Every structure is written in C-alpha cells, then in structure tokens.
Amino acid sequence: MIKLGVNVDHVATLRQARLTYEPDPVTATGLAELGGADIITVHLREDRRHIQDRDLDLLRQTVFTKLNLEMATSQEIIDIAIKVKPEQVTLVPEKRQEVTTEGGLSVTSQKKLLTDIIKRFKDNDIYVSLFIDPDKDQIIASGAVGAQSIELHTGNYANAKSEKETAETLKILQEGVKIAQDAGLRVNAGHGLTYKNTGPIVEVLDVEELHIGHSIVSRAIFVGLKRAVKEMKDLIYKHYLIKQNF
Ligand code: PXP
C-alpha cells in the first residue's frame, strides 16, 4: 500500500499568524497519526515562517510513525537535522519570496555539494530523498549523487487546466517513475495533491509515499484532522484496490 505522509506546516502557519501557542502542530501530528498517517512531514524553513525549532524537537520525541524533515541545503538546517535525527530528510529548494516550494531541486547544477551533504546524512543513518521535477536529467543525477529516494513534484499535474494537460503531466510523471526505478531509486510524489486529484496518481503511479499538506489541513478546519487524514487514507485505499483490479 502507498504510504501517506501528512505535512502539518500549515497548522504552524496559523499559529504564527498570531505568534501564539495555538494551534500546536505537535498536537496535530498526534491526531494525524490517529487518523492513519504513516509519515509526519514538517519543513523547517530558514526564515522559520511556520515550523519552529521547538516543534521539531518535540516532534522527534512524540512522532511514533516516521518523521520526514523537508529542508533546504543550508548549513544551519543540516546541523539541526543531524542533531534531531529524523528518519528521513527531503531536500528541497527554498526561496524566501515563495509562498510554498515552487520548483524541484536542481541536482544537476550542484552535484558535488549534494554528494557531500547526502554522504553526511547517510553516515548519520538518515535516509535521503530529493524533491525534484519529473525530468530525466534530474532523476539520473539524483541517483548519481547518492540519494536513496526521490519525491517527484506533482505541481504541474495539480495545476493542469484541461483533461489533455492532466493526461500529459501524468504521463510525464509515469515516465519519471520508470526512469527512477531503473536507476535503483525509490519514488515518492507530492505537492498540490487534493481529495480530487490524488486518485489517478494512486492508480497510475507506482510510488511508495504520497506527501500531502495543504488539502488535508484545509479539510481539517471543517471536519477535524483525524477525520481528514482518514478520508485521504480511505481514498488512497479505494484507488489502490481499483489499481489491483479488485
Ligand atoms: N512535498 C514537498 C517536498 C513540499 O515542499 C510540500 C509543501 O510543503 C508538499 C509535498 C506538500 O504540498 P501540499 O501542501 O501542496 O500538499
């Protein structure tokens, strides 16, 4: 079964809007796990716009599934990650002006740097995934720099404006998965996935983890986080059964 990673950054975004103590992303992760989350994801950004160092420290003590830390390749954050020891780090590009992570990481343009960083993580028993666009060169380079996994950016698929564009972007993702698997990489996917567009991803892509944040936290405002996570898990399971021809 495909695993669901729930990103709780936006719970912290709401808290930081008032610089107060609520809602607490640490409480949120407990509810997400009760709802069936297989992985908890947070992004400790350099500008600390949502998740704070205190959140990460507490999450390390409380998350009993798997903690996936999204992070830029900044020295400060790398040192924190090595100290906190999440099970997995997902390296992402980071720009201060962006609303959310926009494009995938450029692996081809920073091979030496990434090789060194990935080695350091692996030496510390931290599993490394790279968030990249479904581009052949980036995928091959990800294997070459030593990453164990990639997370394919599903943003173009999520933003597709027509059925034709949806089919085209899905095909590109499908080809990306194949290239990655041939290169010995494990494949995850995420960004912009919702209760509407996740089904085809499950049916068509042979991926291990889906990472979803905004849509689940948005639904949680109305139905509660535990139920929002369970509804996404049920949706993934339903489409997984369709894929298996049940
Ligand atoms: N994967 C990565 C690498 C991301 O940066 C994000 C956004 O933080 C997500 C998945 C989740 O995206 P969304 O919030 O659109 O579901």
Side-chain angles (χ1 to χ4, degrees):
M1 246 298 272
I2 297 182
K3 292 192 163 59
L4 173 62
V6 177
N7 181 317
V8 295
D9 290 350
H10 288 310
V11 176
T13 301
L14 188 54
R15 178 192 59 192
Q16 296 311 110
R18 284 293 178 89
L19 297 176
T20 178
Y21 61 88
E22 62 183 0
D24 194 323
V26 179
T27 310
T29 62
L31 290 168
E33 288 182 330
L34 280 177
D38 302 292
I39 303 156
I40 297 297
T41 299
V42 289
H43 184 171
L44 185 69
R45 295 185 76 104
E46 288 180 84
D47 63 9
R48 307 297 198 275
R49 72 170 71 155
H50 38 54
I51 293 295
Q52 306 296 306
D53 299 60
R54 161 269 185 206
D55 302 329
L56 187 60
D57 287 341
L58 287 174
L59 287 173
R60 180 57 300 174
Q61 295 171 52
T62 54
V63 167
F64 64 84
T65 50
K66 166 174 162 178
L67 184 60
N68 173 41
L69 177 64
E70 275 179 28
M71 52 175 285
T73 54
S74 98
Q75 200 50 57
E76 184 214 358
I77 307 288
I78 292 169
D79 290 342
I80 292 172
I82 302 271
K83 194 156 61 73
V84 172
K85 268 192 180 273
E87 278 79 17
Q88 175 171 296
V89 291
T90 300
L91 303 182
V92 301
E94 201 175 290
K95 291 192 220 107
R96 274 175 199 253
Q97 307 79 0
E98 69 191 358
V99 177
T100 179
T101 314
E102 282 164 0
L105 191 70
S106 172
V107 184
T108 48
S109 65
Q110 38 184 354
K111 280 192 181 165
K112 168 84 176 80
L113 176 74
L114 287 170
T115 303
D116 294 347
I117 293 173
I118 292 170
K119 180 172 183 315
R120 199 167 159 217
F121 279 126
K122 283 165 134 181
D123 288 347
N124 283 276
D125 290 327
I126 298 172
Y127 192 91
V128 183
S129 182
L130 304 181
F131 180 57
I132 57 169
D133 292 324
D135 171 88
K136 185 175 178 194
D137 292 344
Q138 299 299 345
I139 296 169
I140 300 291
S142 297
V145 296
Q148 290 129 314
S149 229
I150 54 167
E151 180 180 332
L152 289 179
H153 195 321
T154 48
N156 286 344
Y157 163 78
N159 293 330
K161 296 280 178 282
S162 64
E163 277 186 24
K164 183 166 170 277
E165 209 186 323
T166 302
E168 281 166 6
T169 50
L170 202 49
K171 180 114 197 348
I172 292 171
L173 285 164
Q174 206 176 5
E175 285 162 3
V177 172
K178 172 92 178 55
I179 296 166
Q181 287 172 340
D182 288 347
L185 289 159
R186 298 171 80 157
V187 193
N188 308 325
H191 212 284
L193 296 181
T194 66
Y195 294 83
K196 275 192 181 158
N197 66 21
T198 298
I201 290 278
V202 174
E203 286 179 37
V204 171
L205 296 190
D206 190 12
V207 293
E208 301 198 15
E209 300 172 357
L210 291 180
H211 292 274
I212 308 179
H214 186 262
S215 193
I216 292 177
V217 174
S218 299
R219 182 168 295 218
I221 289 174
F222 302 114
V223 305
L225 188 56
K226 182 180 160 193
R227 180 163 148 195
V229 172
K230 183 169 185 314
E231 286 179 12
M232 185 58 84
K233 281 282 287 189
D234 290 348
L235 187 148
I236 291 172
Y237 189 55
K238 186 178 102 187
H239 288 276
Y240 176 75
L241 290 182
I242 293 171
K243 184 181 183 177
Q244 310 292 320
N245 285 324
F246 265 97

